[in-house]
Amino acid sequence: MRLVLQRRRSPPTHLVIPMQTATAIAHPNIALVKYWGKRNTALNLPAVPSLSLTLDTFRTRTQVVWGVEHDAVHIDGAPAPEAFARRVTDFLDVISPRRPGCMVLTENNFPSGAGLASSASGFAALAVAATRAAGRTDDRTALSIIARRGSGSACRSLFGGFVEWPMGQRPDGSDSHGIPLAARSYWAVAMVVAVVTDRKKSVASTEGMELSRRTSPFYKSFVDTAAIDLDMARDAVYDRDLEALGTVMERSTLKMHSVMMTTDPAILYWLPNTLAVLHAVRELRSQGIGAWATMDAGPQVKILCMSTDSDRVVDAIRPHAHRIHVLHPGPGASLDEEE
Ligand code: DP6
């Protein structure tokens, strides 16, 4: 069955809307200092600053046709589930409240909803494609602010390499967007992704972080210490100090997961192989290999190391991983010029 969402508002009938198409590509980013909690849920304004690395290889490709009769959203070649389609059309309403109907065709070359940051690449690609299809030429910072409205972490995928996302102070969120810290070519690091399961995550980030804010006794200390972690991580990037960056990254991850686990009801993303990979990473460090782990809202483990050490990391985690990807710093979201 083809999903067709009726528009809630139609453009005035005397206006003829020309149909325009644009296609964009964006890559997921993995937070090294974590975002978990909002100061404003409607605008996706974070309660903490965060810092991320945009990756290569994994990508979302999204085409938007602006000016069709009815909204329609497809993901990976099939009509999108209703909740997903609604999130997409609500986001298009943010871009243009009096917009015409739109068709959105999006596809990921990696599993979505499995803790691999598909919402970050998804809303970054959608922001770029939809604004262009609407005839706009927003700059990257404006696009980052728009992408944030779809999913907070998406604001970081507008930029390549290492990216900071400050909380910002302004109530309208105009100072809370991605800021590029170092380009992808700056540092030859790798992010080894250990996929321990392809199952969808049990609790979505948006609901999980709100529940944590309301119920976890550790939430306040996570928020109160985030700025210190951010400063340390930014300095470590500038100094190309992998040990300092890895150490603060693991600390931020474990703090975030402590908050998740102490949420009521508890959010426990970890599987037995998650823990096995974390121990393998510690074992690597005891053998003198610089490798540090991070995790997001799911059981997968991502390991930061120098590119030259990635083979050693892969060998060490192979017994515990369902699949392994070796990724490197990637570019920011962009229009797909093939269009
Ligand atoms: C655990 O950006 O997916 O990956 O803003 O509610 O859409 P919403 O949440 P989302 O949260 C990502 C949380 C995280 C950590 C991070 O990426 O910083």
Side-chain angles (χ1 to χ4, degrees):
M1 196 186 78
R2 187 163 174 278
L3 180 93
V4 175
L5 295 170
Q6 294 292 331
R7 292 278 304 120
R8 281 171 292 150
R9 289 178 296 275
S10 300
T13 45
H14 61 275
L15 280 183
V16 178
I17 313 272
M19 203 168 81
Q20 294 195 73
T21 301
T23 304
I25 287 183
H27 299 269
N29 69 77
I30 297 300
L32 312 182
V33 175
K34 300 296 184 182
Y35 152 53
W36 193 256
K38 305 184 194 206
R39 66 182 168 93
N40 178 320
T41 46
L43 296 175
N44 274 344
L45 294 176
V48 289
S50 58
L51 189 151
S52 61
L53 178 62
T54 302
L55 300 175
D56 65 359
T57 310
F58 284 1
R59 59 118 188 87
T60 300
R61 186 171 187 273
T62 300
Q63 181 183 26
V64 176
V65 185
W66 191 270
V68 297
E69 203 174 338
H70 298 296
D71 285 346
V73 181
H74 287 239
I75 179 162
D76 295 333
E82 193 170 344
F84 181 93
R86 182 69 60 202
R87 210 170 155 195
V88 167
T89 53
D90 285 353
F91 179 72
L92 296 173
D93 291 344
V94 167
I95 291 180
S96 174
R98 290 174 55 77
R99 67 179 175 82
C102 293
M103 183 158 78
V104 176
L105 308 173
T106 188
E107 46 117 7
N108 292 323
N109 69 351
F110 64 103
S112 52
L116 293 171
S118 57
S119 69
S121 54
F123 281 101
L126 187 59
V128 173
T131 49
R132 178 53 66 94
R136 289 166 43 170
T137 52
D138 302 64
D139 67 19
R140 230 164 240 279
T141 298
L143 289 169
S144 175
I145 290 171
I146 292 168
R148 191 200 70 224
R149 298 286 301 273
S151 191
S153 55
C155 78
R156 301 183 306 227
S157 276
L158 262 298
F159 302 93
F162 293 88
V163 181
E164 180 175 342
W165 174 22
M167 286 176 61
Q169 303 296 327
R170 296 186 202 140
D172 68 354
S174 55
D175 56 352
S176 187
H177 51 77
I179 296 175
L181 287 184
R184 62 189 293 217
S185 56
Y186 172 80
W187 200 3
V189 297
M191 191 67 91
V192 179
V193 178
V195 177
V196 301
T197 177
D198 278 328
R199 261 180 296 162
K200 298 271 180 206
K201 63 178 113 172
S202 44
V203 181
S205 310
T206 310
E207 289 76 50
M209 63 177 80
E210 179 55 14
L211 208 54
S212 293
R213 186 186 66 77
R214 289 199 273 113
T215 64
S216 169
F218 293 177
Y219 179 78
K220 187 177 182 311
S221 26
F222 174 74
V223 169
D224 289 348
T225 56
I228 300 167
D229 291 347
L230 199 287
D231 286 346
M232 289 181 69
R234 191 198 302 108
D235 286 350
V237 169
Y238 286 153
D239 295 344
R240 290 195 184 88
D241 182 341
L242 193 70
E243 179 166 4
L245 184 59
T247 303
V248 70
M249 179 187 83
E250 265 197 18
R251 189 166 64 223
S252 176
T253 297
L254 293 175
K255 277 194 285 189
M256 180 181 76
H257 279 270
S258 305
V259 170
M260 292 164 167
M261 289 176 193
T262 51
T263 293
D264 186 14
I267 304 169
L268 183 61
Y269 289 115
W270 298 27
L271 294 174
N273 274 337
T274 306
L275 199 53
V277 173
L278 292 178
H279 280 292
V281 170
R282 293 166 92 88
E283 176 62 24
L284 275 170
R285 283 212 295 277
S286 73
Q287 294 164 11
I289 306 292
W292 289 265
T294 186
M295 294 171 56
D296 293 291
Q300 332 299 2
V301 184
K302 297 104 186 185
I303 300 141
L304 181 69
C305 61
M306 290 311 297
S307 223
T308 44
D309 285 332
S310 63
D311 288 350
R312 289 286 300 270
V313 171
V314 170
D315 287 346
I317 64 172
R318 202 188 305 277
H320 317 296
H322 177 55
R323 249 174 323 109
I324 299 173
H325 303 268
V326 179
L327 308 177
H328 297 96
S334 62
L335 284 167
D336 186 355
E337 301 302 345
E338 280 172 23
E339 273 298 308

